[in-house]
Amino acid sequence: LGPIPLPMGSYLVVLEKPGLREARYPVSIGRSEDHLGRVALFADDEIGAGFVHVPAGELLLGGDAESYGGFERTRVHVEDFFIARFPVTLGEYCGFLDALAARGDDVKEHIPRQGEEVFVEPGPDGWWKPSARHFEEGAVGRRQSPGYERSCPVFAVSWHSAMAYARWRSEVDGREYTLPPEDAWEKAARGVDGRSYPWGDAFDWTFTKGGHSRPEASQPEPVGAFPADESPYGVRDMAGTIREWTSSWFNERAGARVLRGGSWNLVIDRHFRCATRFGYLPGTHVSTFGFRLFTREAAPRGRG
């Protein structure tokens, strides 16, 4: 396609071809710059249900003075990858616990918890389910359908448990999953133009799930409840909803891993900036910590 003369600025190119999923390809054009991009297209079953393809290319990483723990601005190249559109939910995570229990593995170390508080429990049938006492019957709860807590993001899981879930899903799907490295996470969240949030540069509490997004007391809500929290690639809930473990080191010598994104009860808007990053030990359980899946591997055709 092209060459196409364009004024400097930020653009979203949508590429379509019959039999393949459309590719969303953001482009940032600086003064007197040319851009040459090569975009691979994939079929739906290669990308996978619930996953988004982020095409290879450069992005502006870091460079946000208002972020916590951010990098100096650099231009980096990231290869094609596939990332889950939404964070892993409590319902999906309970399926993982059920599978562990069914094969006789130790479930205790992977139970979502913070201190003495445990956020899932076995039901009368023996299957794991979210603990209803931790989802208040407030206005948000009344607006949801019965069992809505299964659609909330899993929270209070350690990095080790997130990785164990990824290994289990890899076995189930026949595709190698892990946690996203932070450069890929940031690209999936903010595109290529260095924007502050997935939707642009201006923050609004009604755009994402955080501590001031509703008039009532904050509590977890189902993933996807805030449609404006969507990146140029169509990845959702990367500003708020749940803070996410990555595969990257924050401080390798200290053993700390990087977390990205804001969460359902945080009340400082700087937490929700795409470049913000924090480091915690991988055994940490906090009610704001969850995760999503990532892979560089296209699924075999016909696998669905």
Side-chain angles (χ1 to χ4, degrees):
L1 303 173
I4 302 171
L6 293 170
M8 61 184 294
S10 188
Y11 298 88
L12 179 63
V13 181
V14 180
L15 302 170
E16 298 177 339
K17 188 174 182 179
L20 302 173
R21 189 185 297 182
E22 71 175 28
R24 296 165 67 96
Y25 184 68
V27 177
S28 181
I29 306 293
R31 186 180 302 277
S32 301
E33 283 186 352
D34 294 328
H35 179 87
L36 176 63
R38 298 183 182 276
V39 182
L41 301 180
F42 296 88
D44 277 338
D45 54 0
E46 291 179 297
I47 296 172
F51 280 79
V52 172
H53 169 223
V54 176
E58 291 187 339
L59 77 148
L60 294 175
L61 183 70
D64 181 356
E66 296 299 314
S67 65
Y68 291 118
F71 300 112
E72 293 294 319
R73 175 162 292 191
T74 56
R75 188 180 295 271
V76 300
H77 181 90
V78 178
E79 294 295 336
D80 288 282
F81 64 87
F82 309 92
I83 191 167
R85 188 180 301 275
F86 296 106
V88 171
T89 66
L90 270 166
E92 291 169 331
Y93 193 83
C94 284
F96 162 62
L97 297 178
D98 291 337
L100 291 183
R103 66 190 189 192
D105 291 352
D106 183 16
V107 174
K108 184 177 180 181
E109 65 176 302
H110 297 306
I111 290 176
R113 64 187 186 276
Q114 178 171 305
E116 298 300 316
E117 289 292 315
V118 175
F119 300 106
V120 297
E121 60 192 8
D125 54 6
W127 301 115
W128 288 89
K129 65 184 184 69
S131 177
R133 68 182 180 275
H134 294 294
F135 293 85
E136 299 176 6
E137 292 298 324
V140 173
R142 290 197 298 271
R143 284 202 292 270
Q144 309 298 337
S145 59
Y148 82 96
E149 61 272 9
R150 294 186 66 86
S151 298
C152 293
V154 65
F155 55 90
V157 292
S158 69
W159 183 89
H160 297 299
S161 292
M163 288 294 291
Y165 178 93
R167 289 191 294 271
W168 169 73
R169 275 289 300 272
S170 298
E171 295 172 7
V172 171
D173 293 358
R175 184 184 191 188
E176 186 176 353
Y177 300 121
T178 186
L179 302 178
E182 63 172 328
D183 57 351
W185 190 98
E186 188 169 326
K187 182 175 184 179
R190 74 194 302 205
V192 301
D193 58 7
R195 61 185 56 197
S196 302
Y197 307 99
W199 55 83
D201 288 319
F203 184 76
D204 190 310
W205 282 109
T206 66
F207 285 10
T208 190
K209 176 58 182 178
H212 292 322
S213 299
R214 305 283 192 192
E216 59 269 12
S218 189
Q219 67 181 58
E221 292 188 51
V223 299
F226 287 75
D229 191 349
E230 180 177 67
S231 82
Y233 300 102
V235 188
R236 303 280 295 276
D237 297 340
M238 299 199 82
T241 298
I242 199 70
R243 181 164 284 170
E244 300 177 20
W245 287 109
T246 75
S247 63
S248 297
W249 291 108
F250 187 85
N251 184 326
E252 186 172 3
R253 188 171 183 177
R257 295 284 183 173
V258 172
L259 286 113
R260 290 295 197 116
S263 191
W264 58 273
N265 63 353
L266 299 176
V267 296
I268 300 174
D269 57 14
R270 289 177 67 185
H271 285 281
F272 298 83
R273 300 179 80 88
C274 292
T276 285
R277 51 197 297 273
F278 287 93
Y280 283 84
L281 295 177
T284 306
H285 291 256
V286 176
S287 64
T288 56
F289 293 2
F291 66 99
R292 75 177 72 215
L293 294 178
F294 166 93
T295 182
R296 296 194 187 277
E297 181 180 293
R301 295 294 294 269
R303 289 293 297 271

